[in-house]
């Protein structure tokens, strides 16, 4: 059944209108990737300070790499879900569509999205701290922990933005620019507590965009959303897509 609110949002999705979608761990939850802060979330089991900071890596790189190797093993076994696939379709459908993700799991790309701003990096990439070279790495499990740079032998690090590290200026600048000129911003599956990602909807809202949140739980951004869908991304996004198709075929 198509709710009135779904129809209203679908009607706002005009073919030429700029759309930004900000995703978080919740969109991958239905694929089986653990979130960070909810029940069963990674930060309920592990301390971010021990595993996701530059200080933790300097102290114990083997421990940090083992944790990422374990997560790579989990992610390698799962598939993108209908939420990821809907966003890939929207990229093809809307010329001014920008996908900004905090996720590092690579599932948006596997679903077919091509223009993705990965604000926090990608678990399938390594970076050489000496030469700055970013390389793809799909080994599961990793052959050596910690892995070494094939070119200079230095210890590689995950190509991930840890707490206290700046985001890649090119990524955050693109995300800021897209957010400040979009007409619609969807916030999907994020607890909206990690900055600067969580500041993007405010930027869009101030510039006059309609804010649409999709999350089974309320977040600090919920009071500012024009539409809040309390449901799963893998159900609400396909429902919106279906409604969009019905509207456009009359
Ligand atoms: C920086 C990578 C500056 C590791 C991650 C302003 C105010 C306060 C603090 C700060 C601020 N600005 C900066 C900070 C500090 C800090 C920060 O934000 N701290 C917070 C926590 C207080 N930010 C930083 O440190 C950032 N860097 O600001 O640098 C700087 C400048 C110059 C020089 C030096 C430094 C860097 C942030 C990067 C953090 N990296 N981790 C890894 O993943 O291995 S953050 C971690 O949280 C994840 O990566 C994830 O991307 C991110 C966000 O989490 P969510 O995706 O939202 O996931 P969460 O579990 O929280 O929520 C899931 C949601 O899904 C829930 O709401 C749930 O209800 C919902 N859900 C569940 N199922 C579904 C669903 N929704 C839909 N469908 C479902 N089926």
């Amino acid at each position: 059944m198509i709710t009135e609110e779904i129809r209203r949002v679908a009607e706002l999705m005009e073919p030429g209108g700029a759309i930004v979608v900000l995703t978080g761990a919740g969109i991958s939850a239905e694929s089986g990737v653990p979130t960070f802060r909810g029940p069963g979330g990674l930060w309920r089991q592990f301390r971010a300070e021990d595993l996701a900071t530059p200080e933790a890596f300097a102290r114990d790189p083997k421990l940090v790499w083992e944790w990422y190797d374990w997560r790579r093993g989990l992610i390698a076994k799962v598939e993108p879900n209908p939420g990821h696939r809907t966003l890939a379709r929207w990229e093809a459908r809307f010329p001014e569509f920008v996908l900004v993700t905090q996720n590092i799991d690579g599932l948006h790309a596997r679903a077919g999205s091509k223009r993705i701003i990965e604000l926090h990096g990608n678990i399938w990439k390594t970076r050489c701290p000496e030469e700055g070279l970013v390389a793809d790495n799909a080994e599961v499990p990793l052959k050596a922990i910690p892995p070494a740079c094939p070119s200079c032998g230095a210890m590689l690090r995950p190509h991930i933005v840890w707490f206290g590290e700046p985001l890649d200026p090119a990524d955050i600048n693109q995300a800021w620019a897209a957010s400040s000129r979009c007409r619609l911003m969807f916030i999907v599956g994020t607890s909206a507590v990690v900055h600067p990602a969580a500041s993007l909807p405010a930027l869009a809202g101030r510039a006059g965009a309609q804010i649409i949140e999709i999350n089974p739980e309320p977040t600090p951004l919920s009071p500012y959303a024009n539409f809040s869908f309390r449901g799963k991304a893998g159900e609400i996004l396909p429902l919106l897509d279906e409604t969009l198709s019905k509207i456009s075929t009359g």
Side-chain angles (χ1 to χ4, degrees):
M1 194 187 68
I2 300 170
T3 69
E4 187 48 34
E5 294 240 301
I6 293 271
R7 182 183 290 280
R8 278 172 63 203
V9 172
E11 281 168 356
L12 291 172
M13 298 175 73
E14 293 161 353
I19 298 175
V20 171
V21 180
L22 171 67
T23 65
I27 196 169
S28 296
E30 287 157 84
S31 294
V33 182
T35 62
F36 291 89
R37 297 171 183 83
L42 292 171
W43 299 149
R44 301 266 179 111
Q45 288 171 266
F46 306 101
R47 277 161 38 95
E49 298 86 334
D50 294 338
L51 296 161
T53 63
E55 293 78 15
F57 188 65
R59 203 164 46 236
D60 197 343
K62 187 163 174 286
L63 176 76
V64 171
W65 264 117
E66 280 168 354
W67 188 62
Y68 281 100
D69 193 38
W70 169 73
R71 289 174 62 197
R72 285 160 59 106
L74 286 182
I75 296 165
K77 290 199 196 89
V78 309
E79 295 296 329
N81 66 55
H84 298 107
R85 285 197 285 272
T86 299
L87 297 182
R89 276 199 298 281
W90 286 0
E91 178 181 299
R93 181 172 194 149
F94 298 97
E96 286 205 59
F97 179 87
V98 178
L99 176 58
V100 182
T101 188
Q102 299 166 85
N103 298 347
I104 59 167
D105 55 31
L107 288 179
H108 282 304
R110 280 177 56 201
S113 288
K114 294 194 171 55
R115 299 190 308 272
I116 313 167
I117 303 176
E118 291 182 315
L119 288 180
H120 295 165
N122 188 305
I123 201 164
W124 300 109
K125 292 182 178 172
T126 59
R127 188 162 82 238
C128 175
E130 298 298 325
E131 299 171 323
L133 188 76
V134 175
D136 292 330
N137 180 315
E139 276 173 34
V140 176
L142 283 163
K143 289 190 194 90
I145 292 184
C149 174
S151 148
C152 73
M155 187 199 298
L156 295 172
R157 59 164 284 174
H159 184 52
I160 301 269
V161 181
W162 285 319
F163 287 102
E165 291 189 315
L167 278 65
D168 182 325
D171 290 339
I172 191 64
N173 286 340
Q174 267 191 65
W176 271 325
S179 302
S180 53
R181 63 165 184 261
C182 68
R183 302 306 304 151
L184 295 182
M185 177 178 268
F186 289 85
I187 318 165
V188 184
T190 176
S191 59
V193 293
V194 175
H195 292 266
S199 314
L200 295 172
L203 201 61
R206 275 201 298 273
Q210 295 279 302
I211 309 290
I212 302 118
E213 182 173 61
I214 301 175
N215 195 315
E217 305 292 333
T219 76
L221 293 179
S222 303
Y224 307 99
N226 302 91
F227 297 87
S228 288
F229 295 107
R230 293 273 160 263
K232 294 180 174 178
E235 293 170 6
I236 303 290
L237 286 169
L239 191 56
L240 263 169
D241 195 42
E242 215 179 279
T243 310
L244 203 53
S245 300
K246 284 190 184 145
I247 290 172
S248 55
T249 54

